[in-house]
Coordinates of all heavy atoms in Angstrom, one line a residue:
K239 N 0.7 123.0 15.7 CA -0.7 122.9 16.3 C -0.5 122.0 17.5 O -0.3 120.8 17.5 CB -1.7 122.1 15.3 CG -1.9 123.0 14.1 CD -3.0 122.4 13.3 CE -3.3 123.2 12.0 NZ -2.6 122.9 10.9
G241 N -2.8 121.0 19.6 CA -3.8 120.0 19.8 C -3.6 118.7 18.9 O -4.1 117.7 19.2
L242 N -2.6 118.9 18.0 CA -2.3 117.6 17.2 C -0.9 117.1 17.7 O -0.3 116.3 17.0 CB -2.2 117.9 15.7 CG -3.6 118.3 14.9 CD1 -3.4 118.6 13.6 CD2 -4.5 117.1 15.2
G243 N -0.4 117.6 18.8 CA 0.8 117.1 19.4 C 2.0 117.4 18.4 O 2.9 116.7 18.3
Q244 N 2.0 118.5 17.7 CA 3.0 118.9 16.8 C 4.3 119.5 17.4 O 4.4 120.6 17.6 CB 2.5 119.8 15.7 CG 1.5 119.1 14.8 CD 1.1 120.0 13.6 OE1 1.3 121.2 13.6 NE2 0.4 119.4 12.7
H245 N 5.1 118.5 17.8 CA 6.5 118.9 18.4 C 7.4 118.3 17.4 O 7.6 117.0 17.4 CB 6.6 118.4 19.8 CG 5.7 119.0 20.8 ND1 5.8 120.2 21.3 CD2 4.5 118.5 21.3 CE1 4.8 120.5 22.1 NE2 4.0 119.4 22.1
F246 N 8.1 119.1 16.6 CA 8.9 118.5 15.5 C 10.3 118.3 15.9 O 10.9 119.1 16.5 CB 8.8 119.5 14.3 CG 7.4 119.7 13.8 CD1 6.8 121.0 13.9 CD2 6.7 118.6 13.3 CE1 5.5 121.1 13.5 CE2 5.4 118.9 12.7 CZ 4.8 120.1 12.9
L247 N 10.8 117.1 15.5 CA 12.2 116.8 15.8 C 13.2 117.6 14.9 O 12.8 117.7 13.7 CB 12.5 115.3 15.6 CG 12.3 114.3 16.6 CD1 12.4 112.9 16.1 CD2 13.3 114.5 17.8
W248 N 14.2 118.1 15.4 CA 15.2 118.8 14.5 C 16.6 118.2 14.7 O 17.4 118.4 13.8 CB 15.1 120.3 14.8 CG 15.5 120.7 16.2 CD1 14.6 121.0 17.2 CD2 16.8 120.9 16.8 NE1 15.3 121.2 18.3 CE2 16.7 121.2 18.1 CE3 18.1 120.8 16.2 CZ2 17.7 121.6 18.9 CZ3 19.2 121.1 17.0 CH2 19.0 121.4 18.5
V253 N 17.1 111.6 15.1 CA 16.4 111.0 14.0 C 17.0 109.7 13.5 O 16.4 108.7 13.3 CB 16.2 112.0 12.9 CG1 15.5 111.4 11.6 CG2 15.3 113.2 13.4
I256 N 16.6 106.8 15.9 CA 15.2 106.1 15.9 C 15.2 105.2 14.6 O 14.8 104.1 14.7 CB 14.1 107.2 15.7 CG1 14.2 108.2 16.9 CG2 12.8 106.5 15.5 CD1 13.2 109.3 16.8
E270 N 4.6 104.9 8.7 CA 5.0 105.8 9.6 C 3.7 106.7 10.0 O 2.8 107.0 9.2 CB 6.0 106.9 9.0 CG 6.5 107.8 10.1 CD 7.2 109.1 9.6 OE1 7.2 109.3 8.4 OE2 7.5 109.8 10.5
I271 N 3.6 106.9 11.4 CA 2.5 107.7 11.9 C 3.0 109.1 12.1 O 3.9 109.3 12.9 CB 1.9 107.1 13.2 CG1 1.8 105.5 13.2 CG2 0.7 107.9 13.6 CD1 0.7 105.1 12.3
G272 N 2.3 110.1 11.5 CA 2.6 111.4 11.7 C 3.9 111.9 11.2 O 4.8 112.2 12.0
P273 N 4.1 112.0 9.8 CA 5.4 112.5 9.3 C 5.8 113.9 9.6 O 7.0 114.3 9.6 CB 5.2 112.3 7.8 CG 3.8 112.3 7.5 CD 3.2 111.7 8.7
G274 N 4.8 114.7 9.9 CA 5.1 116.2 10.3 C 5.8 116.9 9.2 O 5.2 117.1 8.2
L275 N 7.1 117.3 9.4 CA 7.8 118.0 8.4 C 8.7 117.1 7.5 O 9.4 117.5 6.7 CB 8.7 119.0 9.0 CG 8.0 120.0 10.1 CD1 9.0 121.1 10.6 CD2 6.8 120.7 9.5
G276 N 8.6 115.8 7.9 CA 9.3 114.8 7.0 C 10.7 114.4 7.4 O 11.4 113.7 6.7
I277 N 11.2 114.9 8.6 CA 12.6 114.7 8.9 C 12.9 113.2 9.2 O 13.8 112.6 8.6 CB 13.1 115.5 10.1 CG1 14.6 115.5 10.3 CG2 12.4 115.2 11.4 CD1 15.2 116.6 11.1
L278 N 11.9 112.5 9.9 CA 12.1 111.1 10.1 C 11.7 110.3 8.9 O 12.4 109.3 8.6 CB 11.2 110.6 11.3 CG 11.2 109.1 11.8 CD1 12.6 108.7 12.1 CD2 10.2 108.9 12.9
T279 N 10.7 110.7 8.2 CA 10.3 110.1 6.9 C 11.5 109.9 6.0 O 11.7 108.8 5.4 CB 9.2 110.9 6.2 OG1 8.4 111.4 7.2 CG2 8.4 110.1 5.3
V292 N 1.3 108.3 7.3 CA -0.2 108.7 7.5 C -0.1 110.0 8.4 O 0.3 110.0 9.4 CB -1.0 107.6 8.2 CG1 -2.4 108.0 8.5 CG2 -0.9 106.4 7.5
E293 N -0.6 111.1 7.8 CA -0.7 112.4 8.5 C -2.1 112.9 8.4 O -2.7 112.9 7.4 CB 0.3 113.4 7.8 CG 0.3 114.8 8.2 CD 0.6 114.9 9.7 OE1 1.7 114.5 10.1 OE2 -0.2 115.4 10.4
I294 N -2.5 113.4 9.6 CA -3.8 114.0 9.7 C -4.0 115.4 9.3 O -5.0 115.8 8.8 CB -4.3 113.8 11.2 CG1 -5.8 114.0 11.4 CG2 -3.7 115.0 12.0 CD1 -6.3 113.6 12.7
D295 N -2.8 116.2 9.3 CA -2.9 117.5 9.1 C -2.7 117.9 7.5 O -1.5 117.9 7.1 CB -1.8 118.3 9.9 CG -2.0 119.8 9.8 OD1 -2.8 120.3 9.0 OD2 -1.2 120.5 10.5
L298 N 0.0 120.3 6.0 CA 1.4 119.9 5.9 C 1.8 119.4 4.6 O 3.1 119.3 4.3 CB 1.9 119.0 7.1 CG 1.9 119.5 8.5 CD1 2.1 118.5 9.5 CD2 2.9 120.7 8.6
G317 N -4.8 111.0 6.6 CA -5.7 110.2 7.5 C -5.5 110.3 8.9 O -4.4 110.9 9.4
D318 N -6.4 109.8 9.6 CA -6.3 109.7 11.2 C -5.9 108.3 11.5 O -6.6 107.3 11.3 CB -7.7 110.1 11.7 CG -7.7 110.2 13.2 OD1 -6.8 109.5 13.9 OD2 -8.6 110.8 13.8
A319 N -4.8 108.3 12.2 CA -4.2 106.9 12.5 C -5.1 106.2 13.5 O -5.0 104.9 13.6 CB -2.8 107.1 13.2
R320 N -6.1 106.9 14.1 CA -7.0 106.2 15.0 C -8.1 105.4 14.2 O -8.8 104.6 14.8 CB -7.7 107.2 16.0 CG -6.8 107.8 16.9 CD -7.4 109.0 17.6 NE -7.6 110.1 16.7 CZ -8.0 111.3 17.0 NH1 -8.4 111.6 18.3 NH2 -8.3 112.2 16.1
Q321 N -8.2 105.8 13.0 CA -9.3 105.1 12.2 C -8.9 104.5 10.8 O -9.6 103.7 10.3 CB -10.3 106.3 11.8 CG -11.2 106.6 13.0 CD -11.8 108.0 12.8 OE1 -11.8 108.5 11.8 NE2 -12.3 108.6 13.9
V322 N -7.7 104.8 10.4 CA -7.2 104.3 9.2 C -7.3 102.8 9.1 O -6.9 102.1 10.1 CB -5.8 104.7 8.9 CG1 -5.1 103.9 7.8 CG2 -5.7 106.2 8.5
G342 N 7.2 106.0 14.3 CA 6.8 107.3 14.4 C 7.2 108.0 15.7 O 7.4 107.4 16.7
N343 N 7.2 109.4 15.6 CA 7.3 110.2 16.8 C 5.9 110.6 17.0 O 5.3 111.4 16.4 CB 8.2 111.4 16.3 CG 8.2 112.5 17.4 OD1 7.7 112.3 18.5 ND2 8.6 113.7 17.0
L344 N 5.3 109.8 17.9 CA 3.8 109.8 18.0 C 3.3 111.1 18.7 O 3.9 111.6 19.7 CB 3.3 108.6 18.9 CG 3.5 107.3 18.3 CD1 2.8 106.2 19.2 CD2 2.9 107.2 16.9
P345 N 2.1 111.6 18.2 CA 1.5 112.6 18.9 C 1.1 112.1 20.3 O 0.3 111.0 20.3 CB 0.3 113.0 18.0 CG 0.1 111.8 17.1 CD 1.4 111.1 17.0
Y346 N 1.4 112.7 21.4 CA 1.2 112.0 22.7 C -0.2 111.8 23.1 O -0.6 111.0 23.9 CB 2.0 112.8 23.8 CG 3.5 112.7 23.5 CD1 4.4 113.5 24.2 CD2 4.0 111.8 22.7 CE1 5.8 113.4 24.0 CE2 5.4 111.7 22.4 CZ 6.3 112.5 23.1 OH 7.6 112.4 22.9
Y347 N -1.2 112.6 22.5 CA -2.6 112.5 22.9 C -3.2 111.2 22.4 O -4.3 110.9 22.9 CB -3.4 113.7 22.4 CG -3.7 113.8 21.0 CD1 -5.0 113.5 20.5 CD2 -2.8 114.1 19.9 CE1 -5.4 113.5 19.2 CE2 -3.1 114.0 18.6 CZ -4.4 113.8 18.2 OH -4.7 113.8 16.9
I348 N -2.6 110.5 21.5 CA -3.2 109.2 21.0 C -2.3 108.0 21.3 O -2.7 106.9 20.9 CB -3.6 109.3 19.6 CG1 -2.2 109.5 18.7 CG2 -4.7 110.2 19.2 CD1 -2.5 109.3 17.2
L352 N -3.6 104.1 20.4 CA -3.0 103.8 19.0 C -2.2 102.6 19.1 O -2.2 101.7 18.2 CB -2.3 105.0 18.5 CG -1.7 104.8 17.1 CD1 -2.8 104.5 16.1 CD2 -0.8 105.9 16.6
M369 N 8.6 107.0 19.4 CA 8.9 108.0 20.4 C 7.7 108.3 21.1 O 6.6 108.6 20.6 CB 9.4 109.4 19.7 CG 9.5 110.5 20.6 SD 11.2 110.6 21.2 CE 12.0 111.3 19.8
F411 N 13.1 118.9 20.2 CA 11.9 119.2 19.5 C 11.7 120.7 19.4 O 12.1 121.4 20.3 CB 10.7 118.6 20.2 CG 10.8 117.1 20.6 CD1 11.4 116.7 21.7 CD2 10.1 116.3 19.7 CE1 11.4 115.3 22.1 CE2 10.2 114.9 20.0 CZ 10.8 114.4 21.2
Ligands
SAM779 N1 7.5 112.8 12.6 C1 7.6 114.3 12.9 C2 8.8 114.6 13.7 O1 9.4 113.7 14.2 O2 9.3 115.8 13.7 C3 6.3 114.8 13.6 C4 6.1 114.3 14.9 S1 4.8 115.2 15.7 C5 5.2 114.7 17.4 C6 3.4 114.2 15.6 C7 2.8 114.3 14.1 O3 1.6 113.5 14.1 C8 2.3 115.7 13.6 O4 2.7 115.8 12.3 C9 0.8 115.6 13.7 O5 0.1 116.4 12.8 C10 0.5 114.1 13.4 N2 -0.7 113.7 13.9 C11 -1.5 114.0 15.0 N3 -2.6 113.3 15.3 C12 -2.6 112.4 14.3 C13 -3.5 111.4 13.9 N4 -4.6 111.1 14.7 N5 -3.2 110.7 12.8 C14 -2.1 110.8 12.1 N6 -1.2 111.8 12.4 C15 -1.4 112.6 13.4

Side-chain angles (χ1 to χ4, degrees):
K239 297 190 179 88
L242 290 180
Q244 291 185 347
H245 298 280
F246 301 112
L247 271 172
W248 59 266
V253 172
I256 300 174
E270 190 198 0
I271 312 295
L275 311 184
I277 192 166
L278 179 60
T279 322
V292 180
E293 171 60 59
I294 199 171
D295 187 356
L298 290 174
D318 182 338
R320 291 167 296 183
Q321 284 157 17
V322 162
N343 168 17
L344 291 187
Y346 295 167
Y347 77 105
I348 56 170
L352 178 63
M369 171 92 76
F411 305 85

